[in-house]
Amino acid sequence: MEARVAPTQIYVGEIPADAAGRRALRERALEIAAQLRQASQPAPSVALLNFAAGDGPLVRAVDLLLLRPSSIIVGAVRAYPGPLEAAPGGPWRERIGGAPVIEPGGISPLELVRAQRDAVAARLHAPGAGVALPASARVVGALVCAPATHPDSRISLDVDDHRHGLKVLGLDELAATAAMVQSGVNLSEDAMRAVACELFGGRLWIDGGRVLFELAPARFQLRLLSGERAGEAIPLAEGETVLGRRRTPRRFERRIALAGDDLISSDHAALRYGDEDHVLLRDSSKNGTWVLAPDGQERHLRGAECALAPGAVLRMGVTHLRLERIDEPPG
């Protein structure tokens, strides 16, 4: 009998209002799910991202709440371009250049983590929270450096920080840390889901394998104009989508496989859009991509980019596709 793989469920609280924020949230969620699936000590896990733990400015946007049967971790996820330096109780700085590393309100990253951890802990221990936690239950606060803590960082926490359950770790260390932390709890899967969904208003996003919904509805689609699938419309999700003969996505990429045309490269081109009212095409093929604009002008792209307006027709090999806006009928 095969061993049961412990599920990792990802919930999302607030959906960012801008495309860049939604892309960052999607990538973070998929990376966290991948890290937890690869844990050496798998256990049922629930992660809630981008949620409010209260009304104050520091706790309206908490990056991460990670729940496992024996651990509770609240994390602020940050990506720093270089190594950091922080002495116990002292200011945080970039080691190269010495620029201060501060959060809104002029506080250090660790002070933000402490405030968010305390707000979440207060909600969990409040009467009517829906989960029975012992008074001694411990919630750990973590500054999570994505994708990893820079190897040249010099961050030292004081004794009180360690005593009060504050940590600095890389996203690549999250699963191992969660396995080692003992919060003095014994959470059932139902209790973890109740915390994420009912207490903090999260919506299930990844059910252990699939992404259940996109953070923003697709605003564009590609309609196939040739071949056996002529007439089929394929929605383009916000962010980047790769087109080509290769069928299997790499890591977290979205892709549309165009089979049956040997003149199409494995990774022929990428289409990307965010808040703009156009789609950016980047050609990466051997033979190039022909673009027929709605005004009748045609150009041949090879290793270059151009903006596409709805109505543009793309030719890759002998395959023709038309870009359409989803909220309008095709021309």
Side-chain angles (χ1 to χ4, degrees):
M1 177 182 293
E2 293 185 4
R4 176 176 176 264
V5 177
T8 296
Q9 296 185 328
I10 307 290
Y11 288 74
V12 60
E14 300 293 329
I15 295 177
D18 63 295
R22 292 189 290 268
R23 287 197 301 271
L25 181 59
R26 178 181 182 272
E27 291 173 5
R28 180 182 302 161
L30 293 174
E31 182 61 45
I32 288 171
Q35 292 288 343
L36 295 175
R37 280 196 300 269
Q38 296 167 9
S40 59
Q41 301 179 34
S45 301
V46 166
L48 172 62
L49 278 64
N50 203 46
F51 67 100
D55 295 327
L58 298 181
V59 297
R60 279 199 293 263
V62 181
D63 291 327
L64 173 66
L65 170 62
L66 176 58
L67 303 167
R68 283 168 50 106
S70 61
S71 60
I72 305 173
I73 297 175
V74 177
V77 183
R78 296 291 185 270
Y80 299 109
L84 305 181
E85 187 170 45
W92 287 56
R93 299 187 182 280
E94 296 178 1
R95 285 198 64 197
I96 301 173
V101 178
I102 56 175
E103 294 289 335
I107 62 176
S108 74
L110 207 63
E111 289 175 309
L112 173 69
V113 168
R114 185 193 297 271
Q116 294 186 341
R117 188 275 311 272
D118 291 349
V120 170
R123 292 282 299 276
L124 289 170
H125 284 288
V131 55
L133 295 183
S136 59
R138 202 161 169 250
V139 180
V140 168
L143 176 65
V144 183
C145 301
T149 306
H150 196 287
D152 294 329
S153 290
R154 295 178 181 173
I155 301 172
S156 299
L157 307 185
D158 63 27
V159 174
D160 283 342
D161 292 332
H162 289 290
R163 183 180 297 124
H164 291 102
L166 298 177
K167 298 179 179 295
V168 178
L169 56 117
L171 185 56
D172 58 338
E173 302 170 292
L174 181 61
T177 301
M180 290 187 295
V181 165
Q182 299 296 317
S183 294
V185 297
N186 184 15
L187 298 175
S188 67
E189 293 183 49
D190 286 342
M192 291 188 287
R193 288 192 289 266
V195 169
C197 183
E198 297 169 19
L199 184 59
F200 290 111
R203 179 182 174 191
L204 182 61
W205 186 12
I206 298 174
D207 64 358
R210 301 170 301 153
V211 175
L212 301 179
F213 61 92
E214 292 291 348
L215 294 176
R219 292 189 288 120
F220 297 94
Q221 64 188 15
L222 286 177
R223 187 174 298 276
L224 291 164
L225 303 178
S226 60
E228 295 180 356
R229 298 164 62 190
E232 178 183 345
I234 306 172
L236 280 176
E238 184 181 75
E240 183 171 278
T241 301
V242 180
L243 286 74
R245 286 205 327 272
R246 181 168 55 84
R247 296 177 178 273
T248 305
R250 289 195 181 102
R251 200 161 173 77
F252 308 138
E253 74 176 4
R254 296 185 180 97
R255 70 177 297 108
I256 295 173
L258 300 173
D261 187 342
D262 291 340
L263 297 176
I264 293 179
S265 299
S266 295
D267 294 321
H268 196 100
L271 296 175
R272 183 176 75 251
Y273 74 90
D275 296 320
E276 309 84 6
D277 198 33
H278 64 266
V279 175
L280 188 67
L281 166 70
R282 184 182 72 253
D283 177 82
S284 56
S285 68
K286 178 180 179 181
N287 297 319
T289 301
W290 281 259
V291 178
L292 179 63
D295 62 6
Q297 293 188 10
E298 187 173 35
R299 59 185 299 193
H300 181 209
L301 291 181
R302 180 175 289 173
E305 295 185 346
C306 76
L308 304 176
V313 174
L314 311 179
R315 178 163 67 86
M316 302 176 182
V318 296
T319 300
H320 293 72
L321 311 100
R322 182 174 60 227
L323 178 68
E324 300 173 351
R325 188 179 282 109
I326 286 182
D327 59 0
E328 292 182 357

